[in-house]
Amino acid sequence: SYELTQPPSVAVSPGQTASFTCSGDNLGDKYACWYQQKPGQSPVLVIYQDTKRPSGIPERFSGSNSGNTATLTISGTQAMDEADYYCQAWDSSTVIFGGGTKLTVL
Amino acid sequence: EVQLLETGGDLVQPGGSLRLSCTASGFTFSTYTMTWVRQAPGKGLEWVSTIRGGGIGTYSADSVKGRFTISRDNSKNTLYLQMNRLRAEDTAVYYCAREMAVAGAFDYWGQGNLVTVSS
């Protein structure tokens, strides 16, 4: 079965760039999207179709997808960005989520 | 304003049944694919089941196939998840989510509803 792999944690200082990777076989051939989830809250879509931001998502969030890896980047990370981040894709009528990466803003 | 409100979560014994509902408002419910996603305590997101807008076309994770059934009543703007033969490992917060047209991403999520399976 298809799997998406994410590192368990990322830590950055405020103002730095945070990068999250999501790896899967030929993931670049699929659309990847990303969700932010803060403790006790529902997930929020931050990137869809690899690179697009939904309305209301700050420009500091960006995405890319090529080869076997999709990447979410937060430029100028803020304390409010501290959360879990999940990647997601479809594979043969099945929704696949990555295991999630916890972002700590030091 | 798009809103999704889940109800029906409860404490149930192993082997029991439960039906979750998700009432939608603020958009044309019948034209959207809808999905259930769950999250066990302290764990990540897990896809459960998806149903196309017209109700024709459903997909479920292997972990729930044969036990859970997704359905919808477009006249009531409501999505359902019938859960039978519940197991301890089904304990989770269950979210309903709307799938964006053509994008395969979930742009609106409900607040979540806790299902606890325990004796």
Side-chain angles (χ1 to χ4, degrees):
Chain A
S1 60
Y2 196 83
E3 293 184 356
L4 295 175
T5 300
Q6 298 183 248
S9 62
V10 166
V12 298
S13 298
Q16 288 190 328
T17 295
S19 294
F20 307 82
T21 58
C22 175
S23 300
D25 286 344
N26 297 312
L27 181 55
D29 294 339
K30 310 176 189 299
Y31 277 135
C33 57
W34 293 88
Y35 302 91
Q36 175 194 70
Q37 186 181 34
K38 297 180 179 179
Q41 298 185 18
S42 303
V44 173
L45 180 68
V46 295
I47 293 289
Y48 67 99
Q49 285 186 339
D50 298 337
T51 61
K52 298 178 180 178
R53 278 180 293 106
S55 174
I57 299 302
E59 291 184 9
R60 64 179 182 274
F61 288 84
S62 63
S64 64
N65 185 15
S66 179
N68 294 322
T69 304
T71 302
L72 170 70
T73 302
I74 307 176
S75 304
T77 304
Q78 300 182 8
M80 69 172 65
D81 300 329
E82 190 163 279
D84 294 326
Y85 291 84
Y86 295 91
C87 60
Q88 177 247 308
W90 281 82
D91 178 70
S92 301
S93 299
T94 298
V95 177
I96 310 296
F97 285 100
T101 298
K102 181 178 181 58
L103 172 64
T104 299
V105 182
L106 302 169
Chain B
E1 179 191 5
V2 172
Q3 289 190 328
L4 299 171
L5 179 64
E6 300 106 337
T7 56
D10 205 346
L11 169 64
V12 60
Q13 292 188 341
S17 297
L18 203 61
R19 188 177 81 160
L20 300 182
S21 300
C22 170
T23 303
S25 60
F27 65 101
T28 305
F29 178 71
S30 62
T31 64
Y32 282 86
T33 294
M34 299 294 295
T35 287
W36 289 98
V37 174
R38 68 185 180 183
Q39 187 169 35
K43 302 296 184 183
L45 302 174
E46 179 188 13
W47 171 68
V48 175
S49 195
T50 292
I51 186 168
R52 298 299 180 195
I56 306 299
T58 63
Y59 315 93
S60 295
D62 288 344
S63 58
V64 306
K65 272 180 187 173
R67 300 188 300 123
F68 290 11
T69 302
I70 189 172
S71 63
R72 64 194 298 161
D73 185 338
N74 288 338
S75 69
K76 296 182 178 179
N77 289 349
T78 302
L79 173 72
Y80 301 102
L81 185 68
Q82 177 67 43
M83 303 184 290
N84 299 329
R85 290 186 281 145
L86 282 159
R87 306 167 179 166
E89 53 264 37
D90 296 318
T91 295
V93 173
Y94 284 73
Y95 297 98
C96 63
R98 186 184 85 166
E99 183 181 328
M100 296 177 76
V102 308
F106 306 114
D107 59 349
Y108 285 93
W109 296 65
Q111 85 286 357
N113 211 214
L114 178 62
V115 172
T116 303
V117 184
S118 175
S119 54

